[in-house]
Amino acid sequence: MAFTNEQLERYSRHIILKEIGAKGQKKLLNGKVLIIGAGGLGAPAALYLAAAGVGTIGIVDADVVDLSNLQRQVIHTTNDIGKRKVESARETMNAINPDVKVNTYHEFVASDNIMDLIKDYDFILDGTDNFPAKFLINDACVMAKKPLSHAGIIRFKGQLTTIIPGEGPCYRCIFKNPPPKDAVPTCKQAGVIGAMGGVIGSLQAMEAVKYLTGVGDLLVGYLLTYDALKMEFHKIKLPARGEGCAVCSDHPTITELIDYEQPACELKAH
Amino acid sequence: MNITVAGEKKDVKEGLTVTELIASENVETPQYVTVSVNEEFVESGEFDTTVLKEGDVVEFLYFMGGGR
Ligand SMILES: [Zn+2]
């Protein structure tokens, strides 16, 4: 596949990077990334991945755009209120870069669709807002051996890690089970500063680009935390993949996907 | 004795347990925090009996559920 003149110009700032070059840009154009959640994290990630020329981007979200989303979900505009988030996201991504094939999935992830959703993608990006989804996505990616960028944000804090099944620890190595309903606040209950999604979602996009191009060191085996009030990043080295992990150890006790109960306050919002 | 907590050097009393450190650090939702000492996770049932030593590196890992 040769570049068109338009592509050479569009991606010139990538191609000029010795780590990326024409080869790396081709890898991006052949790359397939699935973004789960077209919200605070997923919006900036989708914008950067589309702009970068990731050839196929899937986006999963069952919601429609709401006025309260626009403080942080920068892929949607005021005119998109009431529109399916996946549609609104697709339109913006294609407006930025018509090279990108955007696949939309207007649905919630659950045990009966997640394996099918992730199977054709090279890299999965978790931009969901609840623990049942985060555990489900982790377990599915471990079972299907799919690389995953996991992230969470709340108030003025955010964190992320990259999970390569078999190479480093998974989300369940750190957190064995979801906390009980409403035991740990969500963004909706506690609030989140809009730019936090931009910081952490962009870092997730960075990991996806590095994974696809094979450049640099991924956040495998580390949890990177960010505190905006202290303006501090902290990189926590995680213990090696746990022998005791219920899903990613050599003798897992979790071998089927689990649909944990959604927090009631979140369900009402949909 | 000196230990490192979440990247910061701290001078703490001898014999400090993980449970005592969680209390003095005002850890949010302490019943759901994951703790590592020197890059090994400490089981939550062992917070009371895990005594910290000079030079230990302690990290608190928090649930963060937001994203959309
Ligand atoms: Zn694991």
Side-chain angles (χ1 to χ4, degrees):
Chain A
M1 179 185 66
F3 290 112
T4 63
N5 284 342
E6 196 203 307
Q7 286 178 318
L8 282 174
E9 189 167 346
R10 178 185 287 274
Y11 305 121
S12 59
R13 303 301 192 279
H14 273 168
I15 293 169
I16 204 167
L17 290 168
K18 70 175 192 321
E19 293 84 352
I20 305 280
K23 239 186 190 166
Q25 188 60 50
K26 276 190 186 147
K27 287 181 185 166
L28 291 175
L29 286 163
N30 290 326
K32 296 178 179 176
V33 175
L34 182 71
I35 299 171
I36 307 177
L41 293 165
L47 292 175
Y48 276 110
L49 293 176
V54 171
T56 306
I57 301 176
I59 189 132
V60 189
D61 201 304
D63 257 348
V64 295
V65 179
D66 180 85
L67 182 57
S68 68
N69 301 149
L70 301 182
Q71 160 260 15
R72 65 198 178 284
Q73 301 181 10
V74 293
I75 204 165
H76 314 297
T77 70
T78 306
N79 286 333
D80 295 321
I81 291 171
K83 195 183 280 182
R84 289 178 172 196
K85 281 189 180 176
V86 289
E87 262 317 298
S88 162
R90 186 183 59 76
E91 286 170 14
T92 310
M93 284 190 273
N94 277 147
I96 293 170
N97 191 347
D99 272 356
V100 178
K101 179 171 186 271
V102 180
N103 299 325
T104 61
Y105 309 93
H106 182 71
E107 52 198 289
F108 289 109
V109 290
S111 63
D112 60 3
N113 67 357
I114 184 83
M115 295 307 266
D116 213 39
L117 284 167
I118 66 177
K119 74 173 191 304
D120 293 327
Y121 290 91
D122 303 318
F123 190 91
I124 316 301
L125 196 149
D126 178 357
T128 62
D129 62 355
N130 64 84
F131 296 111
K134 288 182 190 298
F135 276 86
L136 177 78
I137 293 165
N138 176 73
D139 294 356
C141 286
V142 168
M143 289 174 191
K145 297 192 165 47
K146 293 283 183 184
L148 166 68
S149 170
H150 161 90
I153 53 176
I154 191 126
R155 300 193 184 106
F156 288 88
K157 290 182 178 174
Q159 63 188 20
L160 75 159
T161 181
T162 300
I163 295 155
I164 309 263
E167 282 186 27
C170 79
Y171 185 54
R172 227 183 246 283
C173 289
I174 311 174
F175 302 109
K176 291 182 179 168
N177 286 296
K181 273 198 303 181
D182 299 331
V184 176
T186 64
C187 289
K188 196 175 163 135
Q189 296 152 340
V192 63
I193 193 79
M196 186 56 71
V199 173
I200 305 296
S202 300
L203 289 172
Q204 290 186 278
M206 189 69 84
E207 287 290 274
V209 166
K210 283 162 56 197
Y211 177 80
L212 292 175
T213 56
V215 166
D217 299 318
L218 297 166
L219 259 184
V220 175
Y222 292 91
L223 182 76
L224 181 65
T225 68
Y226 171 56
D227 182 330
L229 294 179
K230 292 184 182 162
M231 211 53 186
E232 277 176 0
F233 280 95
H234 180 51
K235 194 171 168 184
I236 301 173
K237 188 159 185 347
L238 299 170
R241 185 163 62 98
E243 283 161 37
C245 179
V247 71
C248 83
S249 71
D250 294 333
H251 304 284
T253 54
I254 295 173
T255 52
E256 275 177 38
L257 295 168
I258 304 165
D259 290 305
Y260 293 103
E261 206 181 338
Q262 296 277 344
C265 59
E266 292 300 308
L267 273 183
K268 267 184 247 150
H270 294 306
Chain B
M1 65 175 185
N2 291 301
I3 61 172
T4 305
V5 182
E8 262 179 62
K9 293 253 185 291
K10 301 243 157 152
D11 191 0
V12 298
K13 65 162 191 177
E14 297 284 335
L16 188 77
T17 65
V18 168
T19 302
E20 289 168 329
L21 182 67
I22 287 172
S24 67
E25 291 291 308
N26 292 315
V27 165
E28 221 183 307
T29 56
Q31 61 275 47
Y32 305 115
V33 75
T34 294
V35 178
S36 78
V37 177
N38 304 329
E39 294 170 21
E40 294 288 342
F41 289 129
V42 180
E43 295 291 329
S44 55
E46 291 166 11
F47 288 177
D48 279 341
T49 52
T50 303
V51 177
L52 297 166
K53 313 178 301 294
E54 171 77 27
D56 277 351
V57 176
V58 184
E59 298 285 3
F60 296 121
L61 298 96
Y62 299 95
F63 271 120
M64 249 181 238
R68 285 195 340 180

